[in-house]
mmCIF file of all heavy atoms in Angstrom:
data_model
loop_
_atom_site.group_PDB
_atom_site.id
_atom_site.type_symbol
_atom_site.label_atom_id
_atom_site.label_comp_id
_atom_site.label_asym_id
_atom_site.label_seq_id
_atom_site.Cartn_x
_atom_site.Cartn_y
_atom_site.Cartn_z
ATOM 1 N N LEU U 13 95.871 111.798 117.365
ATOM 2 C CA LEU U 13 95.989 113.142 116.935
ATOM 3 C C LEU U 13 97.563 113.531 116.813
ATOM 4 O O LEU U 13 98.313 113.358 117.717
ATOM 5 C CB LEU U 13 95.446 114.092 117.999
ATOM 6 C CG LEU U 13 95.623 115.624 117.874
ATOM 7 C CD1 LEU U 13 94.984 116.116 116.523
ATOM 8 C CD2 LEU U 13 95.099 116.391 119.157
ATOM 9 N N VAL U 14 97.855 113.876 115.614
ATOM 10 C CA VAL U 14 99.157 114.250 115.266
ATOM 11 C C VAL U 14 99.361 115.576 114.547
ATOM 12 O O VAL U 14 98.252 116.176 114.063
ATOM 13 C CB VAL U 14 99.853 113.159 114.355
ATOM 14 C CG1 VAL U 14 99.970 111.840 115.114
ATOM 15 C CG2 VAL U 14 99.197 113.048 113.090
ATOM 16 N N GLN U 15 100.573 116.068 114.455
ATOM 17 C CA GLN U 15 100.781 117.334 113.756
ATOM 18 C C GLN U 15 101.087 117.044 112.287
ATOM 19 O O GLN U 15 101.590 115.889 111.973
ATOM 20 C CB GLN U 15 102.013 118.118 114.314
ATOM 21 C CG GLN U 15 101.725 118.525 115.721
ATOM 22 C CD GLN U 15 100.975 119.863 115.899
ATOM 23 O OE1 GLN U 15 100.861 120.594 115.007
ATOM 24 N NE2 GLN U 15 100.411 120.123 117.066
ATOM 25 N N ALA U 16 100.844 117.988 111.380
ATOM 26 C CA ALA U 16 101.148 117.781 109.942
ATOM 27 C C ALA U 16 102.654 117.473 109.872
ATOM 28 O O ALA U 16 103.515 118.051 110.578
ATOM 29 C CB ALA U 16 100.868 119.080 109.234
ATOM 30 N N GLY U 17 103.032 116.474 109.063
ATOM 31 C CA GLY U 17 104.312 116.043 108.897
ATOM 32 C C GLY U 17 104.719 114.882 109.632
ATOM 33 O O GLY U 17 105.758 114.174 109.508
ATOM 34 N N ASP U 18 103.932 114.561 110.670
ATOM 35 C CA ASP U 18 104.080 113.400 111.593
ATOM 36 C C ASP U 18 103.721 112.091 110.925
ATOM 37 O O ASP U 18 103.163 112.105 109.778
ATOM 38 C CB ASP U 18 103.399 113.569 112.964
ATOM 39 C CG ASP U 18 103.949 114.592 113.829
ATOM 40 O OD1 ASP U 18 105.085 115.084 113.495
ATOM 41 O OD2 ASP U 18 103.439 114.960 114.875
ATOM 42 N N SER U 19 104.058 111.023 111.542
ATOM 43 C CA SER U 19 103.707 109.663 111.086
ATOM 44 C C SER U 19 102.842 108.977 112.054
ATOM 45 O O SER U 19 102.902 109.183 113.364
ATOM 46 C CB SER U 19 105.028 108.930 110.815
ATOM 47 O OG SER U 19 105.809 109.472 109.854
ATOM 48 N N LEU U 20 102.090 108.019 111.581
ATOM 49 C CA LEU U 20 101.293 107.021 112.381
ATOM 50 C C LEU U 20 101.364 105.708 111.636
ATOM 51 O O LEU U 20 101.433 105.622 110.361
ATOM 52 C CB LEU U 20 99.852 107.418 112.549
ATOM 53 C CG LEU U 20 99.520 108.480 113.529
ATOM 54 C CD1 LEU U 20 97.981 108.928 113.385
ATOM 55 C CD2 LEU U 20 99.784 108.026 114.978
ATOM 56 N N ARG U 21 101.249 104.667 112.397
ATOM 57 C CA ARG U 21 101.117 103.365 111.858
ATOM 58 C C ARG U 21 99.776 102.725 112.329
ATOM 59 O O ARG U 21 99.693 102.461 113.547
ATOM 60 C CB ARG U 21 102.209 102.412 112.097
ATOM 61 C CG ARG U 21 102.142 101.133 111.353
ATOM 62 C CD ARG U 21 103.392 100.248 111.380
ATOM 63 N NE ARG U 21 103.382 99.426 112.659
ATOM 64 C CZ ARG U 21 104.034 98.287 112.806
ATOM 65 N NH1 ARG U 21 104.746 97.800 111.802
ATOM 66 N NH2 ARG U 21 104.077 97.743 113.969
ATOM 67 N N LEU U 22 98.909 102.464 111.429
ATOM 68 C CA LEU U 22 97.690 101.841 111.759
ATOM 69 C C LEU U 22 97.777 100.391 111.691
ATOM 70 O O LEU U 22 98.524 99.816 110.845
ATOM 71 C CB LEU U 22 96.535 102.268 110.830
ATOM 72 C CG LEU U 22 96.313 103.758 110.753
ATOM 73 C CD1 LEU U 22 95.106 104.007 109.887
ATOM 74 C CD2 LEU U 22 96.047 104.375 112.107
ATOM 75 N N SER U 23 97.110 99.629 112.564
ATOM 76 C CA SER U 23 97.194 98.125 112.575
ATOM 77 C C SER U 23 95.779 97.602 112.553
ATOM 78 O O SER U 23 94.785 98.307 113.076
ATOM 79 C CB SER U 23 97.799 97.525 113.827
ATOM 80 O OG SER U 23 99.173 97.995 113.936
ATOM 81 N N CYS U 24 95.541 96.460 111.870
ATOM 82 C CA CYS U 24 94.235 95.770 111.828
ATOM 83 C C CYS U 24 94.474 94.380 112.101
ATOM 84 O O CYS U 24 95.152 93.576 111.191
ATOM 85 C CB CYS U 24 93.657 96.042 110.351
ATOM 86 S SG CYS U 24 92.166 95.254 110.056
ATOM 87 N N ALA U 25 93.861 93.797 113.078
ATOM 88 C CA ALA U 25 93.987 92.453 113.447
ATOM 89 C C ALA U 25 92.807 91.785 112.935
ATOM 90 O O ALA U 25 91.633 92.140 113.152
ATOM 91 C CB ALA U 25 94.156 92.347 114.863
ATOM 92 N N ALA U 26 92.965 90.645 112.211
ATOM 93 C CA ALA U 26 91.913 89.800 111.624
ATOM 94 C C ALA U 26 91.807 88.620 112.260
ATOM 95 O O ALA U 26 92.759 87.898 112.734
ATOM 96 C CB ALA U 26 92.139 89.685 110.093
ATOM 97 N N SER U 27 90.500 88.079 112.425
ATOM 98 C CA SER U 27 90.240 86.799 112.926
ATOM 99 C C SER U 27 89.040 86.225 112.242
ATOM 100 O O SER U 27 88.161 86.933 111.644
ATOM 101 C CB SER U 27 90.085 86.836 114.378
ATOM 102 O OG SER U 27 88.948 87.566 114.792
ATOM 103 N N GLY U 28 88.822 84.917 112.389
ATOM 104 C CA GLY U 28 87.627 84.277 111.883
ATOM 105 C C GLY U 28 87.747 83.589 110.506
ATOM 106 O O GLY U 28 86.915 82.783 110.180
ATOM 107 N N ARG U 29 88.680 83.950 109.869
ATOM 108 C CA ARG U 29 89.010 83.286 108.511
ATOM 109 C C ARG U 29 90.452 83.242 108.209
ATOM 110 O O ARG U 29 91.212 84.131 108.670
ATOM 111 C CB ARG U 29 88.172 84.001 107.428
ATOM 112 C CG ARG U 29 88.181 83.440 106.030
ATOM 113 C CD ARG U 29 87.226 84.068 105.141
ATOM 114 N NE ARG U 29 87.168 83.440 103.790
ATOM 115 C CZ ARG U 29 86.319 83.800 102.805
ATOM 116 N NH1 ARG U 29 85.438 84.728 103.061
ATOM 117 N NH2 ARG U 29 86.320 83.086 101.785
ATOM 118 N N THR U 30 90.771 82.394 107.350
ATOM 119 C CA THR U 30 92.216 82.234 107.019
ATOM 120 C C THR U 30 92.792 83.496 106.469
ATOM 121 O O THR U 30 92.316 83.952 105.422
ATOM 122 C CB THR U 30 92.493 81.061 106.056
ATOM 123 O OG1 THR U 30 91.950 79.758 106.568
ATOM 124 C CG2 THR U 30 93.965 80.966 105.776
ATOM 125 N N PHE U 31 93.682 84.197 107.179
ATOM 126 C CA PHE U 31 94.216 85.523 106.806
ATOM 127 C C PHE U 31 94.732 85.553 105.456
ATOM 128 O O PHE U 31 94.604 86.444 104.724
ATOM 129 C CB PHE U 31 95.099 85.998 107.868
ATOM 130 C CG PHE U 31 95.554 87.457 107.628
ATOM 131 C CD1 PHE U 31 94.720 88.498 107.830
ATOM 132 C CD2 PHE U 31 96.934 87.653 107.175
ATOM 133 C CE1 PHE U 31 95.185 89.778 107.678
ATOM 134 C CE2 PHE U 31 97.371 88.951 107.028
ATOM 135 C CZ PHE U 31 96.477 90.020 107.307
ATOM 136 N N ARG U 32 95.592 84.431 105.185
ATOM 137 C CA ARG U 32 96.209 84.457 103.872
ATOM 138 C C ARG U 32 95.261 84.347 102.714
ATOM 139 O O ARG U 32 95.687 84.779 101.494
ATOM 140 C CB ARG U 32 97.344 83.266 103.750
ATOM 141 C CG ARG U 32 98.391 83.432 104.715
ATOM 142 C CD ARG U 32 99.263 82.095 104.565
ATOM 143 N NE ARG U 32 98.575 81.037 105.159
ATOM 144 C CZ ARG U 32 99.149 79.682 104.980
ATOM 145 N NH1 ARG U 32 100.330 79.553 104.383
ATOM 146 N NH2 ARG U 32 98.474 78.700 105.435
ATOM 147 N N SER U 33 94.069 84.016 102.856
ATOM 148 C CA SER U 33 93.068 83.981 101.816
ATOM 149 C C SER U 33 92.379 85.304 101.512
ATOM 150 O O SER U 33 91.637 85.377 100.603
ATOM 151 C CB SER U 33 92.062 82.919 102.166
ATOM 152 O OG SER U 33 91.149 83.345 103.177
ATOM 153 N N LEU U 34 92.715 86.280 102.291
ATOM 154 C CA LEU U 34 92.014 87.540 102.268
ATOM 155 C C LEU U 34 92.882 88.682 101.481
ATOM 156 O O LEU U 34 94.109 88.747 101.668
ATOM 157 C CB LEU U 34 91.672 88.056 103.562
ATOM 158 C CG LEU U 34 90.739 87.164 104.353
ATOM 159 C CD1 LEU U 34 90.611 87.716 105.828
ATOM 160 C CD2 LEU U 34 89.431 87.077 103.785
ATOM 161 N N THR U 35 92.134 89.467 100.711
ATOM 162 C CA THR U 35 92.751 90.740 100.232
ATOM 163 C C THR U 35 92.334 91.751 101.363
ATOM 164 O O THR U 35 91.280 91.828 101.750
ATOM 165 C CB THR U 35 92.202 91.165 98.933
ATOM 166 O OG1 THR U 35 92.481 90.182 97.867
ATOM 167 C CG2 THR U 35 92.643 92.546 98.532
ATOM 168 N N MET U 36 93.286 92.503 101.733
ATOM 169 C CA MET U 36 93.087 93.471 102.828
ATOM 170 C C MET U 36 93.258 94.889 102.294
ATOM 171 O O MET U 36 94.052 95.120 101.411
ATOM 172 C CB MET U 36 94.167 93.280 103.907
ATOM 173 C CG MET U 36 94.164 91.835 104.578
ATOM 174 S SD MET U 36 92.645 91.403 105.374
ATOM 175 C CE MET U 36 92.532 92.621 106.576
ATOM 176 N N GLY U 37 92.409 95.742 102.859
ATOM 177 C CA GLY U 37 92.551 97.044 102.289
ATOM 178 C C GLY U 37 92.137 98.124 103.499
ATOM 179 O O GLY U 37 91.729 97.752 104.634
ATOM 180 N N TRP U 38 92.589 99.413 103.129
ATOM 181 C CA TRP U 38 92.225 100.517 103.965
ATOM 182 C C TRP U 38 91.362 101.449 103.202
ATOM 183 O O TRP U 38 91.712 101.783 102.124
ATOM 184 C CB TRP U 38 93.490 101.205 104.489
ATOM 185 C CG TRP U 38 94.221 100.404 105.553
ATOM 186 C CD1 TRP U 38 95.263 99.526 105.306
ATOM 187 C CD2 TRP U 38 94.020 100.318 106.970
ATOM 188 N NE1 TRP U 38 95.722 98.927 106.390
ATOM 189 C CE2 TRP U 38 94.958 99.390 107.474
ATOM 190 C CE3 TRP U 38 93.152 100.904 107.767
ATOM 191 C CZ2 TRP U 38 95.086 99.162 108.807
ATOM 192 C CZ3 TRP U 38 93.157 100.664 109.133
ATOM 193 C CH2 TRP U 38 94.193 99.722 109.623
ATOM 194 N N PHE U 39 90.408 101.983 103.931
ATOM 195 C CA PHE U 39 89.537 103.036 103.457
ATOM 196 C C PHE U 39 89.463 104.120 104.467
ATOM 197 O O PHE U 39 89.836 103.906 105.610
ATOM 198 C CB PHE U 39 88.215 102.574 103.139
ATOM 199 C CG PHE U 39 88.106 101.563 102.069
ATOM 200 C CD1 PHE U 39 88.488 100.330 102.095
ATOM 201 C CD2 PHE U 39 87.520 102.026 100.792
ATOM 202 C CE1 PHE U 39 88.484 99.402 101.025
ATOM 203 C CE2 PHE U 39 87.442 101.168 99.683
ATOM 204 C CZ PHE U 39 88.025 99.819 99.860
ATOM 205 N N ARG U 40 89.026 105.314 104.076
ATOM 206 C CA ARG U 40 88.885 106.388 105.010
ATOM 207 C C ARG U 40 87.666 107.154 104.658
ATOM 208 O O ARG U 40 87.197 107.299 103.571
ATOM 209 C CB ARG U 40 90.162 107.316 105.029
ATOM 210 C CG ARG U 40 90.437 108.075 103.858
ATOM 211 C CD ARG U 40 91.792 108.748 103.891
ATOM 212 N NE ARG U 40 92.058 109.601 102.754
ATOM 213 C CZ ARG U 40 93.133 110.292 102.586
ATOM 214 N NH1 ARG U 40 94.067 110.231 103.466
ATOM 215 N NH2 ARG U 40 93.266 111.039 101.510
ATOM 216 N N GLN U 41 87.186 107.856 105.799
ATOM 217 C CA GLN U 41 85.924 108.679 105.451
ATOM 218 C C GLN U 41 86.203 109.983 106.407
ATOM 219 O O GLN U 41 86.353 109.940 107.667
ATOM 220 C CB GLN U 41 84.736 108.008 105.943
ATOM 221 C CG GLN U 41 83.453 108.860 105.567
ATOM 222 C CD GLN U 41 82.205 107.936 105.745
ATOM 223 O OE1 GLN U 41 82.146 106.952 106.443
ATOM 224 N NE2 GLN U 41 81.103 108.410 105.049
ATOM 225 N N ALA U 42 86.295 111.095 105.663
ATOM 226 C CA ALA U 42 86.433 112.428 106.347
ATOM 227 C C ALA U 42 84.975 112.972 106.543
ATOM 228 O O ALA U 42 84.075 112.603 105.979
ATOM 229 C CB ALA U 42 87.316 113.343 105.435
ATOM 230 N N PRO U 43 85.003 113.882 107.578
ATOM 231 C CA PRO U 43 83.648 114.543 107.906
ATOM 232 C C PRO U 43 83.028 115.158 106.605
ATOM 233 O O PRO U 43 83.728 115.940 105.859
ATOM 234 C CB PRO U 43 84.036 115.602 108.823
ATOM 235 C CG PRO U 43 85.242 115.207 109.410
ATOM 236 C CD PRO U 43 86.019 114.336 108.414
ATOM 237 N N GLY U 44 81.838 114.832 106.318
ATOM 238 C CA GLY U 44 81.071 115.406 105.273
ATOM 239 C C GLY U 44 81.449 114.801 103.909
ATOM 240 O O GLY U 44 80.898 115.208 102.859
ATOM 241 N N LYS U 45 82.279 113.744 103.807
ATOM 242 C CA LYS U 45 82.672 113.193 102.590
ATOM 243 C C LYS U 45 82.335 111.625 102.589
ATOM 244 O O LYS U 45 82.080 111.064 103.669
ATOM 245 C CB LYS U 45 84.224 113.316 102.395
ATOM 246 C CG LYS U 45 84.686 114.758 102.323
ATOM 247 C CD LYS U 45 86.082 114.922 102.017
ATOM 248 C CE LYS U 45 86.429 114.392 100.684
ATOM 249 N NZ LYS U 45 87.949 114.536 100.423
ATOM 250 N N GLU U 46 82.291 111.152 101.426
ATOM 251 C CA GLU U 46 82.060 109.657 101.328
ATOM 252 C C GLU U 46 83.281 108.866 101.689
ATOM 253 O O GLU U 46 84.409 109.420 101.549
ATOM 254 C CB GLU U 46 81.597 109.372 99.839
ATOM 255 C CG GLU U 46 80.276 109.987 99.457
ATOM 256 C CD GLU U 46 79.923 109.536 97.950
ATOM 257 O OE1 GLU U 46 80.752 108.994 97.351
ATOM 258 O OE2 GLU U 46 78.811 109.875 97.578
ATOM 259 N N ARG U 47 83.195 107.656 101.932
ATOM 260 C CA ARG U 47 84.270 106.782 102.200
ATOM 261 C C ARG U 47 85.015 106.549 100.908
ATOM 262 O O ARG U 47 84.446 106.370 99.845
ATOM 263 C CB ARG U 47 83.735 105.446 102.693
ATOM 264 C CG ARG U 47 84.799 104.459 103.123
ATOM 265 C CD ARG U 47 84.240 103.283 103.868
ATOM 266 N NE ARG U 47 83.541 103.640 105.035
ATOM 267 C CZ ARG U 47 82.970 102.686 105.897
ATOM 268 N NH1 ARG U 47 83.113 101.421 105.772
ATOM 269 N NH2 ARG U 47 82.460 103.032 106.975
ATOM 270 N N GLU U 48 86.370 106.621 101.029
ATOM 271 C CA GLU U 48 87.150 106.521 99.831
ATOM 272 C C GLU U 48 88.301 105.470 100.072
ATOM 273 O O GLU U 48 88.750 105.154 101.255
ATOM 274 C CB GLU U 48 87.863 107.792 99.484
ATOM 275 C CG GLU U 48 88.755 108.366 100.554
ATOM 276 C CD GLU U 48 89.434 109.656 100.128
ATOM 277 O OE1 GLU U 48 89.360 110.099 98.968
ATOM 278 O OE2 GLU U 48 90.057 110.303 101.015
ATOM 279 N N PHE U 49 88.699 104.824 98.977
ATOM 280 C CA PHE U 49 89.762 103.905 99.001
ATOM 281 C C PHE U 49 91.104 104.541 99.288
ATOM 282 O O PHE U 49 91.410 105.607 98.818
ATOM 283 C CB PHE U 49 89.759 103.169 97.592
ATOM 284 C CG PHE U 49 91.056 102.359 97.380
ATOM 285 C CD1 PHE U 49 91.163 101.145 97.871
ATOM 286 C CD2 PHE U 49 92.028 102.817 96.645
ATOM 287 C CE1 PHE U 49 92.200 100.279 97.720
ATOM 288 C CE2 PHE U 49 93.212 102.108 96.337
ATOM 289 C CZ PHE U 49 93.273 100.822 96.913
#
């Protein structure tokens, strides 16, 4: 939970497959909305 104008850094740790072979992405889903790229 942050205030408008603030910053956050999200992290995603991957395992199970060679990381370098993967395209990585972030998506988000707001309440009442579809998941978006």
Side-chain angles (χ1 to χ4, degrees):
L13 173 63
V14 298
Q15 298 280 341
D18 285 352
S19 297
L20 283 173
R21 189 173 79 156
L22 306 183
S23 299
C24 174
S27 63
R29 189 170 181 173
T30 302
F31 185 72
R32 290 179 296 174
S33 72
L34 300 172
T35 296
M36 305 298 299
W38 289 95
F39 293 74
R40 67 187 184 185
Q41 187 167 21
K45 299 181 66 176
E46 296 183 350
R47 186 173 298 185
E48 65 178 346
F49 168 79

